[in-house]
Amino acid sequence: MTAPLVQLRSICKTFGDHQTLRDIDLTVENGEFLTLLGPSGCGKTTLLRILAGFVTPDTGHVLLNGNEITNLPPEKRPINMVFQNYALFPHMNVFDNVAFGLRCQNIDENEVAKRVEDALAMVRLSTFSHRKPINLSGGQQQRVAIARAVINRPELLLLDEPLSALDYSLRKTMRLELKHLQRELGITFLFITHDQEEALSMSDRIAIINNGQIEQVDTARKVYEEPKTLFTAQFIGEANIFNTLVDEASERAITVSIENKLFTLQNTKNHRKGDLISVIIRPEDINVWDQGEITDSTEMLPGVIEEVIYKGSTVDLMVQLPSGFRLAATEFFNEDDPNLYYDVGEKVWVEWTLGWEVTIPHE
Ligand code: ATP
């Protein structure tokens, strides 16, 4: 069996008295697009710099293709990096910027020309080869930086928030382009962002990092639908969180009280009677009903509309429950439920599809 491309084992790093990385274990498979997602200061860049060889971990091991590279200098690693500010050479034109790495290796000029042309064609900048970076848009500079980084065919490309300097619509376009490029090149991408939408839309897997520790590594869908910690649930998307005690528990089901009403939920986490748990429900899994529409409210909670935000294809509602809990609900326009016009102060019933909630032990 071939080893994963990257294995980080028990990596710790402290700067001064601040422990930046705590016992990080992470595996990156060959050809994967893996994103490190977490708030500012959580240690993402430090982890990337350890992989690139710019920072040495205090303890732990970095393996590439099964071989230890923890103390290998950066230039000896088949790894390249794209920085947030692109770090292009301002005095060189696009061609020379992209050719730089090859020329450092004294590669024949004919070969350099061919490979630079191929790289520029790949990022759709063939006609820009004589321009200086200052005469390019942010998105074009970004593509030059990527062409320059992939021209040596690194085994691993590290990208440190490469889209953060672009405006929103260009960022959305570049997300798709980067993803296509990664597939085309077959190079493994390790990408940093603190933008959850970016992470969800591009990644094969996402590693959620909080305060120097990995909270969860999973596919985008799993981190969103099956968060393992409260931090993950709150960091990715919006979440309604009810903290409650388990009243009854069997192998399959638990009974909990939410807003003084008993609900029977699936016992997917081996909860026991008396456990304090968090019940997490996404806004889009909540249904809101006009009180006149409902004849059986057994599994529903009463509420009052506090806020209505129209968003075109959806309406975001804030519903106040009897305890004062503010429940976020996202309602979609569709044929089955055309009545999405609510007034502030209107009394409603709310429910969620039982089974779609996630329960985790209270932290
Ligand atoms: P951001 O999203 O803001 O870039 P990050 O998640 O990438 O943040 P890091 O840049 O890895 O976070 O920094 C994590 C912590 O380590 C921060 O508190 C930072 O100040 C500290 N740190 C990083 N590098 C050094 C250094 N060379 N010397 C001292 N402290 C450092």
Side-chain angles (χ1 to χ4, degrees), residues 254-293:
I254 51 173
T255 309
V256 296
S257 165
I258 293 177
E259 292 282 317
N260 288 323
K261 204 161 200 170
L262 289 178
F263 288 89
T264 301
L265 312 178
Q266 291 170 13
N267 191 1
T268 50
K269 303 277 170 61
N270 228 347
H271 300 303
R272 285 180 302 190
K273 183 174 175 164
D275 284 353
L276 190 53
I277 64 166
S278 298
V279 179
I280 301 164
I281 307 164
R282 296 289 186 193
E284 61 273 22
D285 295 339
I286 304 265
N287 290 317
V288 179
W289 304 104
D290 186 292
Q291 287 208 343
E293 292 175 294

Side-chain angles (χ1 to χ4, degrees), residues 13-16 18-21 36-49 55 84 160-161 192-194 209 212:
K13 183 73 193 173
T14 298
F15 291 110
H18 178 71
Q19 197 177 2
T20 298
L21 295 175
L36 304 179
L37 175 67
S40 185
C42 71
K44 306 180 293 293
T45 302
T46 304
L47 198 56
L48 223 62
R49 291 172 68 81
V55 171
Q84 209 172 68
D160 191 355
E161 306 225 21
I192 285 190
T193 184
H194 54 247
I209 305 192

Side-chain angles (χ1 to χ4, degrees), residues 189-204:
F189 275 28
L190 190 58
F191 182 91
I192 285 190
T193 184
H194 54 247
D195 179 334
Q196 42 141 326
E197 201 181 307
E198 209 162 278
L200 289 172
S201 60
M202 297 171 84
S203 323
D204 295 320

Side-chain angles (χ1 to χ4, degrees), residues 177-231:
E177 287 202 11
L178 260 186
K179 182 77 194 145
H180 286 154
L181 201 64
Q182 190 258 345
R183 284 210 190 111
E184 219 174 288
L185 291 166
I187 294 176
T188 306
F189 275 28
L190 190 58
F191 182 91
I192 285 190
T193 184
H194 54 247
D195 179 334
Q196 42 141 326
E197 201 181 307
E198 209 162 278
L200 289 172
S201 60
M202 297 171 84
S203 323
D204 295 320
R205 285 190 308 151
I206 301 175
I208 307 283
I209 305 192
N210 177 29
N211 202 14
Q213 280 176 310
I214 293 188
E215 299 259 331
Q216 184 166 353
V217 190
D218 256 321
T219 60
R221 189 168 185 154
K222 275 206 153 177
V223 288
Y224 188 79
E225 292 181 4
E226 296 168 39
K228 290 195 175 132
T229 64
L230 267 188
F231 178 85

